[in-house]
Amino acid sequence: MKIAQVNSETVDWDLLILADPSEEVIESYINNCIIFQLYEETLPVAVVALLKLNDTEIEIKNLAVDEEYQGQGLGTDLINFCIKQAKQNGYKKLWIGTGNSSLAQLYMYQKLGFRMNYIKENYFVDNYEEKIIENKIVCTDMVMLYKNI
């Protein structure tokens, strides 16, 4: 597998939608992101989009792994790749947000050393037309986590 940088016009939107079900929300940030895709030969199987917040902080805005490839550590590999990229570019803090109902993601991020910092209350209620339900929990709030790097 290889990781390559792509742009907002060549990124696999089906992958982006796996992590963020709103094309409108994705369109609000994707053009300002540095985007990488992970490929199995020529097939894109995972994506990550990074948004510079300021000179010392960067945020993972979108991270998705194709459902057929989940459970193989590819999400962890991409996060570790982001940490390495952020360090090489002088960033000191990496942020990531996820839904209050995204239990597997919350577990993985904390396992990788991310710490919960704050909650964007009603983020998914206010920014998404359709209700999101994961793990039989209504997704209402965005939990923001960070890792000092």
Side-chain angles (χ1 to χ4, degrees), residues 1 15 30 32 42 44 49 62 72 84-85 97-99 114 123:
M1 295 219 186
L15 287 172
I30 199 67
N32 297 314
T42 59
N62 191 303
Q72 299 177 26
K84 182 179 174 186
Q85 288 292 309
T98 194
F114 285 81
Y123 178 85

Side-chain angles (χ1 to χ4, degrees), residues 23-127:
E23 285 187 30
E24 185 178 336
V25 172
I26 294 170
E27 287 173 359
S28 75
Y29 62 75
I30 199 67
N31 290 320
N32 297 314
C33 288
I34 303 162
I35 309 163
F36 296 95
Q37 286 188 161
L38 189 143
Y39 294 86
E40 169 142 351
E41 299 190 19
T42 59
L43 179 68
V45 297
V47 66
V48 65
L50 294 159
L51 178 67
K52 177 183 177 178
L53 302 176
N54 56 51
D55 289 341
T56 61
E57 299 176 279
I58 193 163
E59 180 180 352
I60 296 173
K61 291 293 288 183
N62 191 303
L63 172 69
V65 177
D66 184 288
E67 291 169 353
E68 287 184 39
Y69 292 84
Q70 290 177 7
Q72 299 177 26
L74 300 181
T76 297
D77 291 346
L78 273 180
I79 289 174
N80 287 327
F81 174 82
C82 291
I83 292 167
K84 182 179 174 186
Q85 288 292 309
K87 278 184 184 178
Q88 287 176 350
N89 288 287
Y91 294 102
K92 304 294 182 205
K93 189 176 280 192
L94 178 61
W95 288 92
I96 193 162
T98 194
N100 61 283
S101 57
S102 300
L103 305 179
Q105 291 86 338
L106 284 166
Y107 170 76
M108 178 177 68
Y109 302 150
Q110 291 178 86
K111 190 171 118 181
L112 292 171
F114 285 81
R115 301 203 47 200
M116 290 185 204
N117 188 260
Y118 66 96
I119 295 173
K120 293 181 182 179
E121 291 185 18
N122 294 314
Y123 178 85
F124 293 99
V125 174
D126 296 341
N127 293 288

Side-chain angles (χ1 to χ4, degrees), residues 2-20:
K2 69 173 187 162
I3 297 174
Q5 188 169 346
V6 297
N7 62 44
S8 60
E9 291 159 18
T10 59
V11 66
D12 187 312
W13 274 77
D14 290 337
L15 287 172
L16 293 173
I17 291 291
L18 287 175
D20 190 337

